[in-house]
C-alpha cells in the first residue's frame, strides 16, 4: 500500500538502483469497502513506472479493474492486457470472483496457466498478500516462476485448511449469499 505518488516514486527509485532478485508487486489499491488507497497520481506512477520494473504483478480482480480502468469479464484477457503494461508476468487472483471454484490466472511470455481450488465456505482476509509473499519466498529460494506460484498456492490452501479463529475455534461455514 503506497498511498501517495511520492511513495510510488521512492519505490521506483529504489528498484531502479538495482536488485538481482525478482520483484513481486502486490498492489493494494482499495479497502475492502472500496475506498481508494492510492491517489490518482500514484496510480499513474504505479502503472507507468512501477509495473514495468516488476517481475510478477499480483492484483486481485478489483485491483486489476482499477489498473485497467475497466470491468473485467475475462480474467485471462485482463492478465494479457496487464502484461502489456510491462510486467514480466501477471497473476490475477480470483478470490473476489464468483463460482464454486477460485481461479487464479498466471500470464507470462510462455502463455497462460490457471490455478484452481474450491472456494472456501468462510471469509478470510489477507490471503492475496499471503499468496504474493509465499510466491516471493519460493522464487527467492531458486524455484522457477510457475513452480513458485504453485508452491504459494499450496501454502495458502494448507493455511486455509487449518484456519482457526481465536476465541471461536475452527472457522465455521458462513451462509452462502
Amino acid at each position: 500500500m503506497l498511498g501517495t505518488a511520492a511513495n510510488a516514486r521512492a519505490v521506483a527509485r529504489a528498484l531502479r538502483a538495482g536488485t538481482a532478485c525478482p520483484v513481486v508487486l502486490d498492489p493494494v489499491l482499495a479497502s475492502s469497502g472500496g475506498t481508494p488507497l492510492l491517489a490518482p497520481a500514484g496510480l499513474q506512477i504505479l502503472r507507468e513506472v512501477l509495473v514495468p520494473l516488476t517481475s510478477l504483478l499480483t492484483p486481485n480482480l478489483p485491483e486489476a479493474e482499477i489498473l485497467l480502468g475497466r470491468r473485467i469479464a475475462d480474467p485471462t484477457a485482463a492478465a494479457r492486457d496487464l502484461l502489456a503494461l510491462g510486467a514480466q508476468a501477471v497473476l490475477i487472483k480470483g478470490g473476489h470472483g464468483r463460482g464454486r471454484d477460485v481461479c487464479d490466472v498466471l500470464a507470462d511470455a510462455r502463455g497462460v496457466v490457471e490455478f484452481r481450488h474450491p472456494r472456501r465456505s468462510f471469509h478470510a482476509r489477507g490471503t492475496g498478500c499471503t499468496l504474493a509473499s509465499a510466491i516471493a519466498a519460493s522464487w527467492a529460494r531458486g524455484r522457477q516462476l510457475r513452480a513458485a506460484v504453485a508452491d504459494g498456492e499450496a501454502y495458502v490452501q494448507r493455511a486455509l485448511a487449518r484456519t482457526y479463529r481465536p476465541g471461536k475455534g475452527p472457522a465455521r461455514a458462513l451462509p452462502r449469499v
Side-chain angles (χ1 to χ4, degrees), residues 61-133:
L61 285 167
E63 291 162 344
E65 290 179 342
I66 292 169
L67 287 168
L68 292 172
R70 64 176 165 81
R71 301 286 297 171
I72 293 175
D74 178 1
T76 299
R80 288 186 179 124
D81 291 345
L82 287 169
L83 274 178
L85 294 178
Q88 293 173 22
V90 174
L91 177 69
I92 295 184
K93 300 174 293 194
H96 289 268
R98 300 252 186 248
R100 180 169 286 203
D101 289 338
V102 172
C103 180
D104 298 336
V105 176
L106 174 66
D108 63 12
R110 294 173 49 198
V112 175
V113 177
E114 292 182 353
F115 295 86
R116 289 184 177 273
H117 49 84
R119 187 172 302 280
R120 301 289 175 159
S121 60
F122 56 88
H123 301 288
R125 294 191 183 265
T127 55
C129 298
T130 301
L131 175 58
S133 297

